[in-house]
C-alpha cells in the first residue's frame, strides 16, 4: 500500500484528500468515494462515481512527462469539468 494525495479542481474550488491504495487508479476512486459523503461537495453523486469508473478504465490516468509518482486525470460530468492530480506521497 502507498499513500496518495489527490487534488480535485472543479466549480471554482480545490479539494484535497489522502488515502492508502495499491495504485493511482484505486487512490482516485477511493478519494471520490470519500468526497461523496462531504456535504460541501453536493455535485459528488453515485452517478459521478459510475462515470468515473468507466473513464478510468476507458482512458486511464496519465503520468506527467519527466515526473515520477505524479498522474493527471480530467473528465466532464453534467457539463462540469473535473481535474484531478494524483501524487504518490509515500511508498510503504
Amino acid at each position: 500500500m502507498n499513500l496518495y494525495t489527490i487534488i480535485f479542481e472543479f466549480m471554482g474550488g480545490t479539494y484535497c484528500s489522502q488515502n492508502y491504495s495499491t495504485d493511482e487508479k484505486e487512490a482516485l476512486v477511493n478519494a471520490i468515494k470519500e468526497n461523496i459523503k462531504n456535504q460541501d461537495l453536493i455535485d459528488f453523486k453515485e452517478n459521478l462515481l459510475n462515470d468515473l469508473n468507466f473513464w478510468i478504465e476507458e482512458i486511464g490516468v496519465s503520468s506527467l512527462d519527466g515526473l515520477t509518482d505524479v498522474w493527471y486525470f480530467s473528465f466532464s460530468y453534467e457539463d462540469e469539468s473535473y481535474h484531478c492530480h494524483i501524487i504518490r506521497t509515500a511508498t510503504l
Side-chain angles (χ1 to χ4, degrees), residues 56-88:
I56 287 174
E57 291 304 316
E58 194 68 23
I59 61 173
V61 297
S62 301
S63 59
L64 300 179
D65 290 343
L67 298 176
T68 58
D69 300 332
V70 180
W71 298 266
Y72 177 76
F73 182 74
S74 177
F75 66 102
S76 295
Y77 176 76
E78 294 184 358
D79 297 327
E80 293 291 337
S81 294
Y82 294 77
H83 304 277
C84 306
H85 300 82
I86 306 124
I87 301 114
R88 185 172 24 223

PDB file of all heavy atoms in Angstrom, residues 56-88:
ATOM      1  N   ILE A  56     -11.962   5.911 -16.101  1.00  0.00           N
ATOM      2  CA  ILE A  56     -10.654   5.430 -15.634  1.00  0.00           C
ATOM      3  C   ILE A  56     -10.278   4.161 -16.391  1.00  0.00           C
ATOM      4  O   ILE A  56      -9.134   4.004 -16.830  1.00  0.00           O
ATOM      5  CB  ILE A  56     -10.662   5.194 -14.117  1.00  0.00           C
ATOM      6  CG1 ILE A  56     -10.653   6.527 -13.379  1.00  0.00           C
ATOM      7  CG2 ILE A  56      -9.454   4.369 -13.689  1.00  0.00           C
ATOM      8  CD1 ILE A  56     -10.792   6.406 -11.882  1.00  0.00           C
ATOM      9  N   GLU A  57     -11.240   3.272 -16.567  1.00  0.00           N
ATOM     10  CA  GLU A  57     -10.960   2.034 -17.302  1.00  0.00           C
ATOM     11  C   GLU A  57     -10.767   2.311 -18.791  1.00  0.00           C
ATOM     12  O   GLU A  57      -9.938   1.684 -19.444  1.00  0.00           O
ATOM     13  CB  GLU A  57     -12.080   1.016 -17.088  1.00  0.00           C
ATOM     14  CG  GLU A  57     -12.121   0.470 -15.676  1.00  0.00           C
ATOM     15  CD  GLU A  57     -10.803  -0.147 -15.238  1.00  0.00           C
ATOM     16  OE1 GLU A  57     -10.191  -0.901 -16.027  1.00  0.00           O
ATOM     17  OE2 GLU A  57     -10.377   0.143 -14.107  1.00  0.00           O
ATOM     18  N   GLU A  58     -11.535   3.245 -19.322  1.00  0.00           N
ATOM     19  CA  GLU A  58     -11.502   3.532 -20.756  1.00  0.00           C
ATOM     20  C   GLU A  58     -10.222   4.274 -21.176  1.00  0.00           C
ATOM     21  O   GLU A  58      -9.597   3.910 -22.155  1.00  0.00           O
ATOM     22  CB  GLU A  58     -12.742   4.351 -21.124  1.00  0.00           C
ATOM     23  CG  GLU A  58     -13.042   4.455 -22.578  1.00  0.00           C
ATOM     24  CD  GLU A  58     -13.482   3.147 -23.218  1.00  0.00           C
ATOM     25  OE1 GLU A  58     -13.971   2.245 -22.521  1.00  0.00           O
ATOM     26  OE2 GLU A  58     -13.332   3.037 -24.445  1.00  0.00           O
ATOM     27  N   ILE A  59      -9.856   5.331 -20.443  1.00  0.00           N
ATOM     28  CA  ILE A  59      -8.693   6.126 -20.849  1.00  0.00           C
ATOM     29  C   ILE A  59      -7.546   6.097 -19.846  1.00  0.00           C
ATOM     30  O   ILE A  59      -6.426   6.445 -20.187  1.00  0.00           O
ATOM     31  CB  ILE A  59      -9.072   7.596 -21.140  1.00  0.00           C
ATOM     32  CG1 ILE A  59      -9.654   8.276 -19.897  1.00  0.00           C
ATOM     33  CG2 ILE A  59     -10.032   7.688 -22.293  1.00  0.00           C
ATOM     34  CD1 ILE A  59      -9.892   9.751 -20.057  1.00  0.00           C
ATOM     35  N   GLY A  60      -7.813   5.713 -18.613  1.00  0.00           N
ATOM     36  CA  GLY A  60      -6.763   5.638 -17.600  1.00  0.00           C
ATOM     37  C   GLY A  60      -6.305   7.002 -17.114  1.00  0.00           C
ATOM     38  O   GLY A  60      -6.812   8.039 -17.534  1.00  0.00           O
ATOM     39  N   VAL A  61      -5.360   6.982 -16.217  1.00  0.00           N
ATOM     40  CA  VAL A  61      -4.753   8.218 -15.724  1.00  0.00           C
ATOM     41  C   VAL A  61      -3.437   8.409 -16.467  1.00  0.00           C
ATOM     42  O   VAL A  61      -2.807   7.444 -16.894  1.00  0.00           O
ATOM     43  CB  VAL A  61      -4.543   8.196 -14.196  1.00  0.00           C
ATOM     44  CG1 VAL A  61      -5.868   8.106 -13.475  1.00  0.00           C
ATOM     45  CG2 VAL A  61      -3.627   7.077 -13.780  1.00  0.00           C
ATOM     46  N   SER A  62      -3.014   9.638 -16.635  1.00  0.00           N
ATOM     47  CA  SER A  62      -1.811   9.942 -17.405  1.00  0.00           C
ATOM     48  C   SER A  62      -0.665  10.311 -16.480  1.00  0.00           C
ATOM     49  O   SER A  62      -0.817  11.167 -15.602  1.00  0.00           O
ATOM     50  CB  SER A  62      -2.070  11.120 -18.345  1.00  0.00           C
ATOM     51  OG  SER A  62      -3.119  10.830 -19.221  1.00  0.00           O
ATOM     52  N   SER A  63       0.477   9.665 -16.693  1.00  0.00           N
ATOM     53  CA  SER A  63       1.667  10.103 -15.957  1.00  0.00           C
ATOM     54  C   SER A  63       2.190  11.364 -16.642  1.00  0.00           C
ATOM     55  O   SER A  63       2.019  11.548 -17.844  1.00  0.00           O
ATOM     56  CB  SER A  63       2.735   9.010 -15.940  1.00  0.00           C
ATOM     57  OG  SER A  63       3.109   8.677 -17.252  1.00  0.00           O
ATOM     58  N   LEU A  64       2.760  12.245 -15.861  1.00  0.00           N
ATOM     59  CA  LEU A  64       3.242  13.513 -16.403  1.00  0.00           C
ATOM     60  C   LEU A  64       4.690  13.370 -16.850  1.00  0.00           C
ATOM     61  O   LEU A  64       5.523  12.815 -16.123  1.00  0.00           O
ATOM     62  CB  LEU A  64       3.092  14.622 -15.361  1.00  0.00           C
ATOM     63  CG  LEU A  64       1.652  14.864 -14.895  1.00  0.00           C
ATOM     64  CD1 LEU A  64       1.610  15.953 -13.847  1.00  0.00           C
ATOM     65  CD2 LEU A  64       0.758  15.218 -16.066  1.00  0.00           C
ATOM     66  N   ASP A  65       4.986  13.845 -18.046  1.00  0.00           N
ATOM     67  CA  ASP A  65       6.325  13.722 -18.618  1.00  0.00           C
ATOM     68  C   ASP A  65       7.391  14.285 -17.686  1.00  0.00           C
ATOM     69  O   ASP A  65       7.251  15.395 -17.166  1.00  0.00           O
ATOM     70  CB  ASP A  65       6.411  14.453 -19.955  1.00  0.00           C
ATOM     71  CG  ASP A  65       5.623  13.766 -21.052  1.00  0.00           C
ATOM     72  OD1 ASP A  65       5.290  12.576 -20.878  1.00  0.00           O
ATOM     73  OD2 ASP A  65       5.352  14.410 -22.068  1.00  0.00           O
ATOM     74  N   GLY A  66       8.437  13.501 -17.477  1.00  0.00           N
ATOM     75  CA  GLY A  66       9.570  13.952 -16.691  1.00  0.00           C
ATOM     76  C   GLY A  66       9.366  13.886 -15.187  1.00  0.00           C
ATOM     77  O   GLY A  66      10.256  14.263 -14.436  1.00  0.00           O
ATOM     78  N   LEU A  67       8.200  13.429 -14.748  1.00  0.00           N
ATOM     79  CA  LEU A  67       7.923  13.352 -13.316  1.00  0.00           C
ATOM     80  C   LEU A  67       7.665  11.903 -12.920  1.00  0.00           C
ATOM     81  O   LEU A  67       7.129  11.120 -13.700  1.00  0.00           O
ATOM     82  CB  LEU A  67       6.698  14.187 -12.949  1.00  0.00           C
ATOM     83  CG  LEU A  67       6.784  15.690 -13.205  1.00  0.00           C
ATOM     84  CD1 LEU A  67       5.458  16.351 -12.885  1.00  0.00           C
ATOM     85  CD2 LEU A  67       7.901  16.319 -12.403  1.00  0.00           C
ATOM     86  N   THR A  68       8.051  11.553 -11.710  1.00  0.00           N
ATOM     87  CA  THR A  68       7.725  10.238 -11.186  1.00  0.00           C
ATOM     88  C   THR A  68       6.673  10.399 -10.090  1.00  0.00           C
ATOM     89  O   THR A  68       6.635  11.419  -9.400  1.00  0.00           O
ATOM     90  CB  THR A  68       8.967   9.528 -10.611  1.00  0.00           C
ATOM     91  OG1 THR A  68       9.532  10.354  -9.581  1.00  0.00           O
ATOM     92  CG2 THR A  68      10.011   9.298 -11.686  1.00  0.00           C
ATOM     93  N   ASP A  69       5.816   9.416  -9.976  1.00  0.00           N
ATOM     94  CA  ASP A  69       4.813   9.367  -8.912  1.00  0.00           C
ATOM     95  C   ASP A  69       3.777  10.480  -8.975  1.00  0.00           C
ATOM     96  O   ASP A  69       3.194  10.854  -7.963  1.00  0.00           O
ATOM     97  CB  ASP A  69       5.490   9.361  -7.533  1.00  0.00           C
ATOM     98  CG  ASP A  69       6.406   8.169  -7.349  1.00  0.00           C
ATOM     99  OD1 ASP A  69       6.153   7.122  -7.985  1.00  0.00           O
ATOM    100  OD2 ASP A  69       7.371   8.279  -6.579  1.00  0.00           O
ATOM    101  N   VAL A  70       3.528  11.024 -10.179  1.00  0.00           N
ATOM    102  CA  VAL A  70       2.528  12.073 -10.367  1.00  0.00           C
ATOM    103  C   VAL A  70       1.699  11.727 -11.600  1.00  0.00           C
ATOM    104  O   VAL A  70       2.243  11.441 -12.665  1.00  0.00           O
ATOM    105  CB  VAL A  70       3.169  13.460 -10.550  1.00  0.00           C
ATOM    106  CG1 VAL A  70       2.103  14.531 -10.748  1.00  0.00           C
ATOM    107  CG2 VAL A  70       4.065  13.815  -9.379  1.00  0.00           C
ATOM    108  N   TRP A  71       0.349  11.767 -11.450  1.00  0.00           N
ATOM    109  CA  TRP A  71      -0.563  11.455 -12.539  1.00  0.00           C
ATOM    110  C   TRP A  71      -1.624  12.534 -12.627  1.00  0.00           C
ATOM    111  O   TRP A  71      -1.859  13.277 -11.680  1.00  0.00           O
ATOM    112  CB  TRP A  71      -1.243  10.108 -12.315  1.00  0.00           C
ATOM    113  CG  TRP A  71      -0.300   8.967 -12.266  1.00  0.00           C
ATOM    114  CD1 TRP A  71       0.071   8.163 -13.299  1.00  0.00           C
ATOM    115  CD2 TRP A  71       0.399   8.485 -11.118  1.00  0.00           C
ATOM    116  NE1 TRP A  71       0.963   7.221 -12.875  1.00  0.00           N
ATOM    117  CE2 TRP A  71       1.189   7.388 -11.530  1.00  0.00           C
ATOM    118  CE3 TRP A  71       0.458   8.870  -9.780  1.00  0.00           C
ATOM    119  CZ2 TRP A  71       2.002   6.679 -10.669  1.00  0.00           C
ATOM    120  CZ3 TRP A  71       1.272   8.162  -8.915  1.00  0.00           C
ATOM    121  CH2 TRP A  71       2.024   7.080  -9.361  1.00  0.00           C
ATOM    122  N   TYR A  72      -2.278  12.582 -13.776  1.00  0.00           N
ATOM    123  CA  TYR A  72      -3.331  13.563 -14.022  1.00  0.00           C
ATOM    124  C   TYR A  72      -4.530  12.848 -14.645  1.00  0.00           C
ATOM    125  O   TYR A  72      -4.365  11.929 -15.456  1.00  0.00           O
ATOM    126  CB  TYR A  72      -2.817  14.655 -14.964  1.00  0.00           C
ATOM    127  CG  TYR A  72      -3.854  15.687 -15.328  1.00  0.00           C
ATOM    128  CD1 TYR A  72      -4.219  16.670 -14.419  1.00  0.00           C
ATOM    129  CD2 TYR A  72      -4.478  15.670 -16.567  1.00  0.00           C
ATOM    130  CE1 TYR A  72      -5.177  17.615 -14.738  1.00  0.00           C
ATOM    131  CE2 TYR A  72      -5.432  16.614 -16.894  1.00  0.00           C
ATOM    132  CZ  TYR A  72      -5.768  17.575 -15.973  1.00  0.00           C
ATOM    133  OH  TYR A  72      -6.719  18.504 -16.291  1.00  0.00           O
ATOM    134  N   PHE A  73      -5.713  13.281 -14.283  1.00  0.00           N
ATOM    135  CA  PHE A  73      -6.933  12.727 -14.854  1.00  0.00           C
ATOM    136  C   PHE A  73      -7.938  13.858 -14.986  1.00  0.00           C
ATOM    137  O   PHE A  73      -8.136  14.639 -14.055  1.00  0.00           O
ATOM    138  CB  PHE A  73      -7.482  11.629 -13.936  1.00  0.00           C
ATOM    139  CG  PHE A  73      -8.714  10.959 -14.451  1.00  0.00           C
ATOM    140  CD1 PHE A  73      -8.640  10.065 -15.499  1.00  0.00           C
ATOM    141  CD2 PHE A  73      -9.946  11.226 -13.887  1.00  0.00           C
ATOM    142  CE1 PHE A  73      -9.779   9.435 -15.982  1.00  0.00           C
ATOM    143  CE2 PHE A  73     -11.097  10.604 -14.363  1.00  0.00           C
ATOM    144  CZ  PHE A  73     -11.002   9.707 -15.407  1.00  0.00           C
ATOM    145  N   SER A  74      -8.564  13.958 -16.148  1.00  0.00           N
ATOM    146  CA  SER A  74      -9.541  15.008 -16.400  1.00  0.00           C
ATOM    147  C   SER A  74     -10.766  14.387 -17.061  1.00  0.00           C
ATOM    148  O   SER A  74     -10.637  13.486 -17.892  1.00  0.00           O
ATOM    149  CB  SER A  74      -8.923  16.065 -17.315  1.00  0.00           C
ATOM    150  OG  SER A  74      -9.865  17.064 -17.621  1.00  0.00           O
ATOM    151  N   PHE A  75     -11.938  14.873 -16.701  1.00  0.00           N
ATOM    152  CA  PHE A  75     -13.164  14.378 -17.304  1.00  0.00           C
ATOM    153  C   PHE A  75     -14.270  15.409 -17.132  1.00  0.00           C
ATOM    154  O   PHE A  75     -14.138  16.356 -16.353  1.00  0.00           O
ATOM    155  CB  PHE A  75     -13.580  13.023 -16.715  1.00  0.00           C
ATOM    156  CG  PHE A  75     -13.977  13.077 -15.261  1.00  0.00           C
ATOM    157  CD1 PHE A  75     -15.310  13.053 -14.898  1.00  0.00           C
ATOM    158  CD2 PHE A  75     -13.010  13.145 -14.273  1.00  0.00           C
ATOM    159  CE1 PHE A  75     -15.677  13.094 -13.564  1.00  0.00           C
ATOM    160  CE2 PHE A  75     -13.370  13.188 -12.941  1.00  0.00           C
ATOM    161  CZ  PHE A  75     -14.709  13.164 -12.582  1.00  0.00           C
ATOM    162  N   SER A  76     -15.340  15.230 -17.882  1.00  0.00           N
ATOM    163  CA  SER A  76     -16.514  16.098 -17.778  1.00  0.00           C
ATOM    164  C   SER A  76     -17.687  15.282 -17.263  1.00  0.00           C
ATOM    165  O   SER A  76     -17.831  14.111 -17.607  1.00  0.00           O
ATOM    166  CB  SER A  76     -16.871  16.684 -19.141  1.00  0.00           C
ATOM    167  OG  SER A  76     -15.857  17.529 -19.595  1.00  0.00           O
ATOM    168  N   TYR A  77     -18.496  15.921 -16.451  1.00  0.00           N
ATOM    169  CA  TYR A  77     -19.683  15.281 -15.898  1.00  0.00           C
ATOM    170  C   TYR A  77     -20.763  16.336 -15.738  1.00  0.00           C
ATOM    171  O   TYR A  77     -20.546  17.353 -15.070  1.00  0.00           O
ATOM    172  CB  TYR A  77     -19.345  14.630 -14.550  1.00  0.00           C
ATOM    173  CG  TYR A  77     -20.527  14.011 -13.853  1.00  0.00           C
ATOM    174  CD1 TYR A  77     -21.042  12.801 -14.278  1.00  0.00           C
ATOM    175  CD2 TYR A  77     -21.125  14.654 -12.781  1.00  0.00           C
ATOM    176  CE1 TYR A  77     -22.136  12.231 -13.644  1.00  0.00           C
ATOM    177  CE2 TYR A  77     -22.211  14.088 -12.132  1.00  0.00           C
ATOM    178  CZ  TYR A  77     -22.716  12.882 -12.573  1.00  0.00           C
ATOM    179  OH  TYR A  77     -23.786  12.325 -11.952  1.00  0.00           O
ATOM    180  N   GLU A  78     -21.896  16.123 -16.371  1.00  0.00           N
ATOM    181  CA  GLU A  78     -23.013  17.056 -16.313  1.00  0.00           C
ATOM    182  C   GLU A  78     -22.575  18.495 -16.574  1.00  0.00           C
ATOM    183  O   GLU A  78     -22.821  19.404 -15.782  1.00  0.00           O
ATOM    184  CB  GLU A  78     -23.757  16.926 -14.985  1.00  0.00           C
ATOM    185  CG  GLU A  78     -24.443  15.582 -14.809  1.00  0.00           C
ATOM    186  CD  GLU A  78     -25.259  15.488 -13.543  1.00  0.00           C
ATOM    187  OE1 GLU A  78     -25.283  16.451 -12.748  1.00  0.00           O
ATOM    188  OE2 GLU A  78     -25.892  14.428 -13.347  1.00  0.00           O
ATOM    189  N   ASP A  79     -21.867  18.683 -17.672  1.00  0.00           N
ATOM    190  CA  ASP A  79     -21.405  19.997 -18.143  1.00  0.00           C
ATOM    191  C   ASP A  79     -20.392  20.679 -17.226  1.00  0.00           C
ATOM    192  O   ASP A  79     -20.185  21.891 -17.315  1.00  0.00           O
ATOM    193  CB  ASP A  79     -22.593  20.941 -18.384  1.00  0.00           C
ATOM    194  CG  ASP A  79     -23.517  20.439 -19.483  1.00  0.00           C
ATOM    195  OD1 ASP A  79     -23.008  19.814 -20.437  1.00  0.00           O
ATOM    196  OD2 ASP A  79     -24.738  20.658 -19.380  1.00  0.00           O
ATOM    197  N   GLU A  80     -19.776  19.947 -16.329  1.00  0.00           N
ATOM    198  CA  GLU A  80     -18.722  20.490 -15.478  1.00  0.00           C
ATOM    199  C   GLU A  80     -17.420  19.759 -15.787  1.00  0.00           C
ATOM    200  O   GLU A  80     -17.420  18.562 -16.062  1.00  0.00           O
ATOM    201  CB  GLU A  80     -19.052  20.301 -13.988  1.00  0.00           C
ATOM    202  CG  GLU A  80     -20.242  21.103 -13.512  1.00  0.00           C
ATOM    203  CD  GLU A  80     -19.998  22.595 -13.481  1.00  0.00           C
ATOM    204  OE1 GLU A  80     -18.829  23.022 -13.408  1.00  0.00           O
ATOM    205  OE2 GLU A  80     -20.988  23.345 -13.552  1.00  0.00           O
ATOM    206  N   SER A  81     -16.321  20.475 -15.737  1.00  0.00           N
ATOM    207  CA  SER A  81     -15.002  19.866 -15.928  1.00  0.00           C
ATOM    208  C   SER A  81     -14.374  19.568 -14.578  1.00  0.00           C
ATOM    209  O   SER A  81     -14.462  20.376 -13.646  1.00  0.00           O
ATOM    210  CB  SER A  81     -14.083  20.812 -16.698  1.00  0.00           C
ATOM    211  OG  SER A  81     -14.568  20.986 -17.999  1.00  0.00           O
ATOM    212  N   TYR A  82     -13.773  18.401 -14.483  1.00  0.00           N
ATOM    213  CA  TYR A  82     -13.084  17.967 -13.270  1.00  0.00           C
ATOM    214  C   TYR A  82     -11.636  17.690 -13.620  1.00  0.00           C
ATOM    215  O   TYR A  82     -11.349  17.019 -14.614  1.00  0.00           O
ATOM    216  CB  TYR A  82     -13.722  16.688 -12.712  1.00  0.00           C
ATOM    217  CG  TYR A  82     -15.126  16.878 -12.212  1.00  0.00           C
ATOM    218  CD1 TYR A  82     -16.192  16.962 -13.087  1.00  0.00           C
ATOM    219  CD2 TYR A  82     -15.377  16.986 -10.853  1.00  0.00           C
ATOM    220  CE1 TYR A  82     -17.483  17.143 -12.627  1.00  0.00           C
ATOM    221  CE2 TYR A  82     -16.668  17.166 -10.380  1.00  0.00           C
ATOM    222  CZ  TYR A  82     -17.709  17.244 -11.280  1.00  0.00           C
ATOM    223  OH  TYR A  82     -18.984  17.423 -10.814  1.00  0.00           O
ATOM    224  N   HIS A  83     -10.733  18.207 -12.819  1.00  0.00           N
ATOM    225  CA  HIS A  83      -9.309  17.975 -13.000  1.00  0.00           C
ATOM    226  C   HIS A  83      -8.778  17.354 -11.715  1.00  0.00           C
ATOM    227  O   HIS A  83      -9.057  17.855 -10.621  1.00  0.00           O
ATOM    228  CB  HIS A  83      -8.580  19.288 -13.288  1.00  0.00           C
ATOM    229  CG  HIS A  83      -9.152  20.009 -14.467  1.00  0.00           C
ATOM    230  ND1 HIS A  83      -8.811  19.705 -15.755  1.00  0.00           N
ATOM    231  CD2 HIS A  83     -10.074  20.995 -14.549  1.00  0.00           C
ATOM    232  CE1 HIS A  83      -9.477  20.475 -16.586  1.00  0.00           C
ATOM    233  NE2 HIS A  83     -10.262  21.272 -15.871  1.00  0.00           N
ATOM    234  N   CYS A  84      -8.055  16.262 -11.861  1.00  0.00           N
ATOM    235  CA  CYS A  84      -7.563  15.532 -10.698  1.00  0.00           C
ATOM    236  C   CYS A  84      -6.061  15.303 -10.830  1.00  0.00           C
ATOM    237  O   CYS A  84      -5.588  14.832 -11.864  1.00  0.00           O
ATOM    238  CB  CYS A  84      -8.249  14.175 -10.576  1.00  0.00           C
ATOM    239  SG  CYS A  84     -10.044  14.276 -10.564  1.00  0.00           S
ATOM    240  N   HIS A  85      -5.336  15.644  -9.798  1.00  0.00           N
ATOM    241  CA  HIS A  85      -3.909  15.361  -9.719  1.00  0.00           C
ATOM    242  C   HIS A  85      -3.721  14.284  -8.653  1.00  0.00           C
ATOM    243  O   HIS A  85      -4.273  14.392  -7.555  1.00  0.00           O
ATOM    244  CB  HIS A  85      -3.136  16.620  -9.329  1.00  0.00           C
ATOM    245  CG  HIS A  85      -3.309  17.730 -10.318  1.00  0.00           C
ATOM    246  ND1 HIS A  85      -4.404  18.563 -10.299  1.00  0.00           N
ATOM    247  CD2 HIS A  85      -2.552  18.119 -11.349  1.00  0.00           C
ATOM    248  CE1 HIS A  85      -4.292  19.429 -11.287  1.00  0.00           C
ATOM    249  NE2 HIS A  85      -3.196  19.193 -11.952  1.00  0.00           N
ATOM    250  N   ILE A  86      -2.969  13.262  -8.983  1.00  0.00           N
ATOM    251  CA  ILE A  86      -2.733  12.151  -8.080  1.00  0.00           C
ATOM    252  C   ILE A  86      -1.235  12.069  -7.822  1.00  0.00           C
ATOM    253  O   ILE A  86      -0.454  11.986  -8.779  1.00  0.00           O
ATOM    254  CB  ILE A  86      -3.240  10.817  -8.675  1.00  0.00           C
ATOM    255  CG1 ILE A  86      -4.714  10.961  -9.081  1.00  0.00           C
ATOM    256  CG2 ILE A  86      -3.065   9.664  -7.695  1.00  0.00           C
ATOM    257  CD1 ILE A  86      -4.969  10.636 -10.509  1.00  0.00           C
ATOM    258  N   ILE A  87      -0.832  12.108  -6.567  1.00  0.00           N
ATOM    259  CA  ILE A  87       0.582  12.102  -6.206  1.00  0.00           C
ATOM    260  C   ILE A  87       0.838  10.970  -5.231  1.00  0.00           C
ATOM    261  O   ILE A  87       0.163  10.883  -4.195  1.00  0.00           O
ATOM    262  CB  ILE A  87       1.009  13.444  -5.552  1.00  0.00           C
ATOM    263  CG1 ILE A  87       0.734  14.605  -6.519  1.00  0.00           C
ATOM    264  CG2 ILE A  87       2.474  13.409  -5.143  1.00  0.00           C
ATOM    265  CD1 ILE A  87      -0.310  15.535  -6.045  1.00  0.00           C
ATOM    266  N   ARG A  88       1.783  10.097  -5.579  1.00  0.00           N
ATOM    267  CA  ARG A  88       2.192   9.064  -4.606  1.00  0.00           C
ATOM    268  C   ARG A  88       3.074   9.777  -3.597  1.00  0.00           C
ATOM    269  O   ARG A  88       4.200  10.146  -3.884  1.00  0.00           O
ATOM    270  CB  ARG A  88       2.910   7.900  -5.269  1.00  0.00           C
ATOM    271  CG  ARG A  88       3.218   6.805  -4.262  1.00  0.00           C
ATOM    272  CD  ARG A  88       3.769   5.514  -4.853  1.00  0.00           C
ATOM    273  NE  ARG A  88       4.413   5.687  -6.127  1.00  0.00           N
ATOM    274  CZ  ARG A  88       4.243   4.840  -7.158  1.00  0.00           C
ATOM    275  NH1 ARG A  88       3.464   3.796  -7.057  1.00  0.00           N
ATOM    276  NH2 ARG A  88       4.869   5.060  -8.299  1.00  0.00           N
TER     277      ARG A  88
END
